[in-house]
Amino acid sequence: MPRTLETGRPEPATSQLPRRLLTILRPELPSLAEEIIEEIPRALPEYDRPMQGPYVTALQIGVERALNQFVARVAEAAPDAHRHDDTYRRLGRFEAHEGRSLDSLQAAYRIGAQVAWRRLMTIAARHDLSSSVMAQLADALFGYMNELASLSLSGYMDARPTQVEDQRRRLLQLILARRPGSDRAIAELAELTEWNVPDEVTLVVVPHDARCVREALDDDVLVDLTADEPRLLVPCRAPDGRPEALPAGRRAMLAEAFPDGGVATGLTVPLEHAADSLRWARQALTLIEAGVLDDGPVTSCEDHLVTLWLLADCALVDQLARRHLGGMNELEPGQRERLLATLHTWLTTRGTAAEMADELHVHPQTVRHRIKRLEKELGGRLTDPDARFAIEIVLRAMSLRDRVRPGSGDRPEEH
């Protein structure tokens, strides 16, 4: 007798059945439970596992209670409805945690019903049950299976949002770790969580105490705000393979999701380079917190590439400064500052003494005097292209570090 399980919860059958069914059916229940528990993993490979552990124990209890509940119902005994309901909701939660779809759960119930019906047919022949009684038993059995499926569906749906979030956090971790052989694991977990693997992504970091409006985030954004460094992954598509900043719509989404601001986005990169995008976004957030970069709603690395490069390794900048500007440390601080300002202007403008004087708001003769003093202090480094380039890098980096917000940390070391 073919039947299908519905998702709605039907009303319990109320037809009268012979009370002697309780006596007839109850002795069959232990062996019937064993047969169902053996048949489900045989028919459904996803349930094929060693018959031990908490999941299998829950399955065994579920089958035994289902059979006892059904027999008590058709014999008009008084079942424990509360414990009954909780058992099958718990099975649904197990399914969600196991990562199986609802199809597997429905199939397991269907198999259980089919095995039970075969046993009922055997019992009917042995005890000469009428066709009317068998028809009522069929309606009661398959209606009861629908009820169990509905209860488990409720538990499944309650557990699935949390489970999917956990699995997507794991997916983000796999993408960032990018170990050998991880492509298959990423693909499998992405399929399990219904996440389309993109070619290009942008990583995003936010402050630890950032207030998040989760409803504002797009469904395809991977989120891990529980990590030591809260981060998000935003899928992007760069046209024709050209580098592209995070689209305006995505920036607006982040601004809405994190209304207090302080969001930093990395560059849009191929998925396999996601860790680089995260590293750059993290560096940008550090510079935002230090006051080097403006603290807007969403700060993009795309707009600050040179700054990120110059301040990527401040210790190395210090070493360059010692080698190329160390001779000026003996000067009086005010004099040293004026000379460095003049040197920075000369390197960046290559202007005449008069043009530089306008820029510095001093007399041209003062500029000429400072240039002579710089030539004395720095010697041949000003005529060496490599040294001159290194000095310009150092001065630009020092200028950026001078923008550190008061109270945000130690100021750059003077050279």
Side-chain angles (χ1 to χ4, degrees):
M1 174 179 279
R3 301 275 173 148
T4 58
L5 296 176
E6 305 294 337
T7 57
R9 180 170 181 170
E11 293 296 325
T14 57
S15 301
Q16 296 295 316
L17 288 166
R19 293 188 63 82
R20 69 188 181 101
L21 281 176
L22 185 62
T23 304
I24 294 173
L25 297 177
R26 182 156 286 170
E28 303 283 339
L29 299 185
S31 62
L32 178 56
E34 290 181 5
E35 185 179 352
I36 291 173
I37 291 170
E38 290 175 1
E39 182 65 21
I40 289 174
R42 187 158 48 236
L44 300 174
E46 57 267 41
Y47 288 92
D48 189 10
R49 66 185 69 200
M51 296 305 287
Q52 58 186 357
Y55 178 81
V56 175
T57 300
L59 180 62
Q60 291 171 334
I61 292 173
V63 171
E64 292 167 0
R65 286 185 180 172
L67 293 174
N68 280 286
Q69 172 82 8
F70 174 71
V71 169
R73 176 174 293 187
V74 298
E76 296 185 18
D80 184 349
H82 176 74
R83 187 172 68 166
H84 167 271
D85 289 2
D86 184 64
T87 297
Y88 299 100
R89 288 195 181 95
R90 186 180 300 121
L91 277 177
R93 290 194 291 271
F94 266 122
E95 289 298 307
H97 292 312
E98 288 289 309
R100 283 190 287 268
S101 72
L102 198 58
D103 292 340
S104 299
L105 182 64
Q106 295 278 14
Y109 279 121
R110 193 173 293 113
I111 289 169
Q114 290 168 351
V115 172
W117 180 247
R118 287 200 302 266
R119 180 67 66 90
L120 285 174
M121 293 290 288
T122 301
I123 294 170
R126 187 189 311 147
H127 293 276
D128 195 26
L129 297 179
S130 68
S131 58
S132 174
V133 168
M134 293 304 295
Q136 292 180 60
L137 276 175
D139 286 340
L141 174 63
F142 288 99
Y144 180 62
M145 288 296 109
N146 285 340
E147 182 179 339
L148 298 188
S150 179
L151 289 167
S152 291
L153 173 59
S154 175
Y156 183 93
M157 298 308 294
D158 287 343
R160 184 161 173 76
T162 300
Q163 181 66 11
V164 170
E165 286 181 8
D166 290 343
Q167 290 170 336
R168 285 198 166 192
R169 277 196 293 268
R170 173 61 180 155
L171 177 58
L172 179 52
Q173 292 169 2
L174 284 174
I175 292 171
L176 293 174
R178 206 68 191 185
R179 297 187 179 92
S182 63
D183 287 351
R184 180 177 178 182
I186 290 172
E188 290 176 351
L189 198 50
E191 182 178 4
L192 185 62
T193 59
E194 300 178 354
W195 188 70
N196 294 323
V197 179
D199 294 328
E200 306 262 331
V201 297
T202 303
L203 273 292
V204 181
V205 295
V206 297
H208 282 281
D209 57 351
R211 179 167 56 96
C212 178
V213 181
R214 295 295 290 264
E215 296 79 11
L217 292 171
D218 294 337
D219 291 340
D220 61 348
V221 175
L222 299 183
V223 183
D224 186 0
L225 301 181
T226 63
D228 292 339
E229 296 171 323
R231 61 273 186 106
L232 303 88
L233 180 150
V234 181
C236 297
R237 288 178 176 81
D240 303 324
R242 295 193 302 270
E244 184 182 47
L246 191 67
R250 296 288 203 176
R251 290 172 65 98
M253 171 200 69
L254 291 172
E256 182 179 355
F258 297 95
D260 298 332
V263 177
T265 71
L267 300 180
T268 299
V269 296
L271 182 68
E272 59 268 24
H273 297 153
D276 289 331
S277 182
L278 176 65
R279 176 165 50 84
W280 296 324
R282 187 183 299 136
Q283 184 187 357
L285 181 61
T286 299
L287 295 179
I288 291 171
E289 293 172 343
V292 175
L293 299 181
D294 293 335
D295 185 8
V298 179
T299 300
S300 173
C301 286
E302 189 77 26
D303 302 326
H304 304 282
L305 292 180
V306 173
T307 298
L308 293 170
W309 174 60
L310 290 175
L311 298 182
D313 192 337
C314 288
L316 191 56
V317 171
D318 291 341
Q319 292 300 321
L320 283 170
R322 288 191 177 95
R323 283 161 174 74
H324 294 286
L325 299 176
M328 300 180 67
N329 287 342
E330 304 301 323
L331 300 176
E332 182 269 329
Q335 184 183 27
R336 179 175 178 274
E337 184 177 342
R338 290 189 292 273
L339 285 175
L340 289 179
T342 302
L343 177 59
H344 182 266
T345 302
W346 178 69
L347 289 171
T348 54
T349 67
R350 295 296 196 272
T352 64
E355 292 169 339
M356 292 172 59
D358 287 341
E359 181 79 18
L360 295 167
H361 306 292
V362 296
H363 194 278
Q365 189 58 32
T366 301
V367 171
R368 296 186 186 97
H369 173 73
R370 291 180 184 176
I371 292 294
K372 288 182 181 180
R373 184 61 186 268
L374 287 167
E375 290 172 345
K376 176 183 176 182
E377 296 293 341
L378 300 178
R381 284 193 288 272
L382 291 181
T383 58
D384 182 330
D386 291 337
R388 194 166 59 241
F389 178 66
I391 290 171
E392 184 173 353
I393 290 175
V394 169
L395 292 175
R396 286 178 179 269
M398 290 171 61
S399 175
L400 288 168
R401 292 201 298 184
D402 283 343
R403 296 171 57 184
V404 172
R405 183 184 297 122
S408 63
D410 293 335
R411 289 187 60 79
E413 180 182 348
E414 297 291 346
H415 305 285

